[in-house]
Amino acid sequence: MVKAVVLGAAGGIGQPLSLLLKCNPLITELSLYDIVNTPGVAADLSHIATPAKVAGFLPPDEGLAKALTGAQVVIIPAGVPRKPGMTRDDLFKINAGIVEGLATGIATTAPKAFVLVISNPVNSTVPIVVEVFKKHNVFDPKRIFGVTTLDVVRASTFVAEIVGDLSKAPDVVVPVVGGHSGVTIVPLLSQSSHPLPSGFSEEKLDALVNRIQFGGDEVVKAKDGAGSATLSMAYAGAEFALKVVNALEGQKGIIAPSFVHLSADPAGGEALKKEIGADLEYFSAPVELGPDGVVKINPLGKITDAEKKLVEAAVPDLTKNIQTGIAFTKKSNL
């Protein structure tokens, strides 16, 4: 029996994400919350012949608390999408307050739930959730995750395209570490389960790394002001949620990159800090999942000199992004 909750369920990511979760036979209860339209979205999804019982909630009459009661997995895609010309800093100013309010609801109603943060910018919104949980004395670093899966999905797809066989895309595994924006996204292509073709030039490799790092911009531009990566993000969010639910149900050996507080595995976190050469509180690394959340933070392992430079380049932005999230919670007098 697994209850999942989507906060921001009526939006561009929230609706397709809710659909994919409804299709997951392991989920038996699905609560949808947003400021508008959730009763309609819930009614629509409730007609689908899968086990999950669906309910929609709005802010009046303690709707958030009702949606969250008994939740085991909470996914947060709430917030506004990025528009052309909008930086992630611009996005942060809007989405930070939204995430803070929802995190307060989770901390007070479902503090033991696994929290999966999709709302951008993830490098800053995850620290906001953590600070809210600390304020309410319910912080467990093993249970709060920044969803970076879209970077992994893009890397798998783009590598399959280069290999020349998109049918291989579901099987291609490329660890993507660091964070979840621009240069903080570090694809470890040298560790790809499906190697790049021999003779793949340095110039082409740089272009591939750049495409993985800035794939979101590609979608924003193509949508021409009508939104950002919503469908692929919903797919990625559902994929990570499936891994969390499978781990919750007792499946062993599940490993996926996620942006986590490194105290989730103190020994693994300290080893990772030595690898990256920086004392960061958060980092996206391959994480082993279990019934209680993070079991182990895995090291980066053997990486190329070029990848080491990418990690080094990620650290300043990551540091700034993390501090921005923490500073926001201090300023808002949590």
Side-chain angles (χ1 to χ4, degrees):
M1 304 289 286
V2 176
K3 176 175 178 177
V5 181
V6 180
L7 304 181
I13 297 170
Q15 289 202 42
L17 173 61
S18 299
L19 170 61
L20 292 167
L21 294 173
K22 173 68 170 119
C23 294
N24 183 338
L26 294 176
I27 293 172
T28 51
E29 191 174 347
L30 182 61
S31 283
L32 311 180
Y33 175 85
D34 211 322
I35 56 173
V36 292
N37 300 335
T38 34
V41 176
D44 196 356
L45 290 177
S46 71
H47 293 185
I48 295 171
T50 56
K53 182 180 179 181
V54 188
F57 299 89
L58 295 167
D61 303 318
E62 301 293 321
L64 180 58
K66 288 175 183 174
L68 288 167
T69 299
Q72 287 149 295
V73 179
V74 180
I75 309 158
I76 312 177
V80 299
R82 196 153 57 102
K83 295 182 173 66
M86 193 183 218
T87 67
R88 286 182 188 265
D89 286 341
D90 296 333
L91 197 63
F92 174 78
K93 289 170 187 170
I94 302 168
N95 287 350
I98 296 170
V99 170
E100 182 187 43
L102 295 173
T104 301
I106 303 166
T108 52
T109 307
K112 295 290 186 186
F114 294 130
V115 182
L116 282 54
V117 183
I118 290 173
S119 306
N120 272 318
V122 164
N123 296 353
S124 301
T125 53
V126 171
I128 289 174
V129 175
V130 167
E131 293 301 315
V132 170
F133 273 55
K134 284 180 179 177
K135 171 67 177 176
H136 288 86
N137 298 311
V138 292
F139 172 53
D140 180 350
K142 296 180 183 294
R143 292 174 177 268
I144 298 175
F145 303 90
V147 180
T148 60
T149 313
L150 181 52
D151 305 323
V152 178
V153 167
R154 284 183 175 132
S156 299
T157 303
F158 300 162
V159 167
E161 286 176 355
I162 288 164
V163 169
D165 187 355
L166 263 178
S167 70
K168 288 191 167 83
D171 302 316
V172 174
V173 178
V174 180
V176 183
V177 302
H180 184 56
S181 67
V183 297
T184 71
I185 298 169
V186 180
L188 302 180
L189 290 159
S190 66
Q191 297 180 14
S192 173
S193 60
H194 294 61
L196 294 167
S198 58
F200 196 71
S201 70
E202 189 176 327
E203 186 182 354
K204 286 182 179 177
L205 182 63
D206 289 346
L208 175 58
V209 168
N210 185 268
R211 191 181 179 205
I212 294 166
Q213 290 179 326
F214 296 96
D217 292 352
E218 188 178 311
V219 177
V220 168
K221 185 179 177 184
K223 288 193 174 181
D224 197 21
S228 57
T230 52
L231 301 174
S232 52
M233 185 62 250
Y235 170 82
E239 283 289 294
F240 187 72
L242 175 61
K243 292 179 191 299
V244 169
V245 170
N246 282 334
L248 188 63
E249 295 286 283
Q251 189 174 320
K252 305 284 187 188
I254 298 174
I255 296 172
S258 180
F259 189 70
V260 296
H261 196 283
L262 296 183
S263 67
D265 169 20
E270 287 303 316
L272 186 62
K273 287 179 191 179
K274 286 179 183 173
E275 277 189 303
I276 61 182
D279 189 21
L280 294 172
E281 283 186 75
Y282 299 83
F283 201 80
S284 183
V287 170
E288 183 178 344
L289 302 170
D292 296 315
V294 175
V295 173
K296 184 182 178 187
I297 297 172
N298 287 328
L300 302 183
K302 187 179 178 183
I303 62 176
T304 66
D305 287 343
E307 288 164 351
K308 287 175 185 172
K309 287 178 182 174
L310 290 174
V311 171
E312 287 171 16
V315 169
D317 274 19
L318 267 177
T319 303
K320 180 186 170 190
N321 297 160
I322 293 163
Q323 288 307 317
T324 297
I326 294 170
F328 175 83
T329 59
K330 299 282 191 282
K331 196 183 295 182
S332 67
N333 294 316
L334 270 175

